[in-house]
């Protein structure tokens, strides 16, 4: 199986020239903390399926979820990603049950946050500052840095592939402004905890995900996603997936400036629109 060879090659980079290991006194916070989202690719899913012997579709339903992550510049625009459920179902005591085939995101953590001198990374240290591995800056060797950068590039291509395979479009982001009534229903009044005589509301992250999943289900998309994942249970389906990967690898652009996103119409069908600026 060609995908197996690809997985073996990328896995060789996971620990190469790394001096990092999880502190033994860490309670595996990153694997348990629901606020730390671990995005994964379909390749990560197939790798876990091969190493555990469980069907990809079974793992997909039991260990992963479709999560929403806000695009930085606009909280109303959420990007769909495949994520591990938290606490991670692969964690067994203090050990990762799929360590040799763990997702790229896990292999990058926490070194990717210390790639460049002075880098604070994309991690909100306020929320995660109690992680033992984040208290002191890590020193990353030049050799290790080059492997991490290569892994990040592989991850970027696999993210493009995953969105394209599951949703038919990448980057797959949705403008939620026309679901404002759903959002208001689940928002929490937090004015009391701020105490400045103004009204403040907070929308729990999982509420965004529930809205998105409900709308995707109602629009008929979830069953299509399920049947695509079912295709990964057979060697022929994985070969089809590999061919798609060959194609997306050749076209995967930088998605930073991609000017389109979707919105749900009144029947919860997705409609491509110009992304608001
Ligand atoms: S896959 Fe392994 S390293 Fe990654 S979050 Fe789960 S238990 Fe932790």
């Amino acid at each position: 199986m060609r995908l197996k060879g690809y997985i073996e090659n990328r896995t060789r980079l996971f620990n190469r020239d790394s001096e990092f290991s999880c502190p033994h006194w860490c309670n595996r916070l990153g694997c348990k903390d629901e606020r730390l989202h671990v995005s994964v690719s379909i390749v990560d899913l197939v790798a876990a399926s091969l190493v555990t012997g469980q069907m990809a579709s079974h793992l997909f339903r039991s260990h992963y979820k479709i999560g929403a992550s806000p695009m930085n510049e606009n909280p109303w625009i959420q990007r769909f990603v495949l994520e591990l459920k938290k606490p991670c179902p692969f964690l067994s005591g203090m050990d990762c049950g799929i360590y040799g085939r763990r997702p790229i995101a896990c292999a990058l953590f926490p070194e990717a946050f210390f790639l460049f001198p002075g880098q604070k990374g994309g991690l909100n240290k306020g929320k995660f500052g109690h992680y033992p591995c984040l208290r002191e800056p890590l020193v990353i060797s030049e050799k290790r840095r080059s492997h991490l950068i290569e892994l990040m590039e592989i991850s970027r291509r696999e993210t493009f592939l995953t969105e394209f395979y599951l949703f038919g479009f990448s980057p797959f982001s949705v403008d939620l402004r026309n679901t404002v009534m759903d959002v208001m229903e689940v928002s929490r009044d937090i004015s009391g905890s701020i105490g400045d005589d103004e009204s403040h509301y907070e929308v729990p992250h999982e509420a965004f995900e529930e809205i998105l999943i409900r709308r995707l289900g109602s629009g008929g998309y979830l069953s299509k996603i399920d049947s695509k994942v079912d295709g990964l249970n057979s060697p022929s389906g994985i070969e089809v997936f590999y061919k798609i990967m060959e194609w997306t690898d050749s076209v995967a652009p930088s998605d930073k400036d991609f000017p389109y996103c979707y919105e749900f119409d009144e029947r919860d069908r997705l409609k491509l629109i110009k992304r608001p600026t």
Side-chain angles (χ1 to χ4, degrees):
M1 186 201 296
R2 291 190 292 169
L3 189 61
K4 208 168 169 183
Y6 168 86
I7 289 169
E8 275 162 18
N9 278 337
R10 88 212 246 277
T11 305
R12 288 195 187 105
L13 296 170
F14 281 12
N15 293 333
R16 187 180 290 169
D17 299 312
S18 174
E19 291 171 20
F20 173 78
S21 59
C22 294
H24 61 82
W25 62 90
C26 174
N27 197 19
R28 304 302 178 252
L29 298 174
C31 307
K32 294 178 180 167
D33 190 346
E34 294 183 4
R35 296 168 308 165
L36 186 64
H37 295 246
V38 179
S39 47
V40 294
S41 71
I42 292 284
V43 179
D44 292 320
L45 168 66
V46 173
S49 163
L50 292 173
V51 75
T52 60
Q54 296 192 51
M55 286 197 296
S57 61
H58 172 75
L59 280 179
F60 179 76
R61 282 160 204 139
S62 58
H63 288 50
Y64 302 85
K65 65 175 179 138
I66 295 170
S69 82
M71 307 284 273
N72 285 341
E73 75 279 15
N74 187 338
W76 286 104
I77 301 183
Q78 300 271 335
R79 185 168 181 175
F80 284 107
V81 286
L82 189 59
E83 289 181 1
L84 280 171
K85 286 183 181 169
K86 287 297 199 71
C88 178
F90 290 116
L91 186 65
S92 170
M94 296 286 275
D95 298 320
C96 171
I98 55 165
Y99 187 75
R101 291 290 183 270
R102 65 199 185 283
I104 288 184
C106 301
L108 286 170
F109 188 87
E111 292 172 294
F113 296 102
F114 299 98
L115 264 187
F116 303 104
Q119 178 191 12
K120 293 212 171 61
L123 199 61
N124 177 347
K125 286 268 194 87
K127 281 189 198 165
F128 304 105
H130 60 297
Y131 282 39
C133 59
L134 295 174
R135 281 193 196 143
E136 300 295 333
L138 292 179
V139 177
I140 311 282
S141 70
E142 279 307 314
K143 273 189 186 165
R144 181 61 184 156
R145 177 173 294 126
S146 70
H147 303 321
L148 290 168
I149 289 170
E150 192 176 342
L151 275 174
M152 289 164 82
E153 173 56 24
I154 293 171
S155 173
R156 187 187 71 79
R157 289 199 309 264
E158 289 186 11
T159 299
F160 182 91
L161 164 69
T162 299
E163 289 170 305
F164 186 79
Y165 186 74
L166 292 181
F167 309 116
F169 201 79
S170 182
F172 188 66
S173 48
V174 178
D175 182 348
L176 287 173
R177 284 174 303 171
N178 65 1
T179 66
V180 66
M181 295 313 289
D182 294 9
V183 173
M184 288 310 291
E185 267 175 34
V186 292
S187 63
R188 290 192 294 236
D189 187 346
I190 55 166
S191 312
S193 62
I194 295 181
D196 62 357
D197 295 331
E198 302 280 331
S199 296
H200 297 275
Y201 292 89
E202 178 186 71
V203 181
H205 183 82
E206 56 282 7
F208 270 122
E209 294 185 353
E210 280 162 22
I211 292 167
L212 292 165
I213 293 299
R214 194 169 65 235
R215 296 247 174 174
L216 279 180
S218 153
Y221 298 100
L222 289 185
S223 52
K224 287 186 185 147
I225 290 170
D226 274 347
S227 65
K228 285 180 191 173
V229 176
D230 286 345
L232 299 168
N233 290 336
S234 69
S236 59
I238 288 189
E239 192 52 31
V240 169
F241 173 74
Y242 190 84
K243 284 193 181 132
I244 293 173
M245 183 168 87
E246 285 180 317
W247 180 75
T248 56
D249 273 2
S250 68
V251 297
S254 163
D255 51 36
K256 276 198 189 115
D257 303 317
F258 195 74
Y260 297 99
C261 66
Y262 281 97
E263 69 177 11
F264 289 107
D265 69 12
E266 59 288 347
R267 292 185 308 132
D268 288 335
R269 300 296 297 171
L270 289 162
K271 191 171 75 176
L272 192 65
I273 58 166
K274 204 94 166 124
R275 199 167 81 191
T277 48

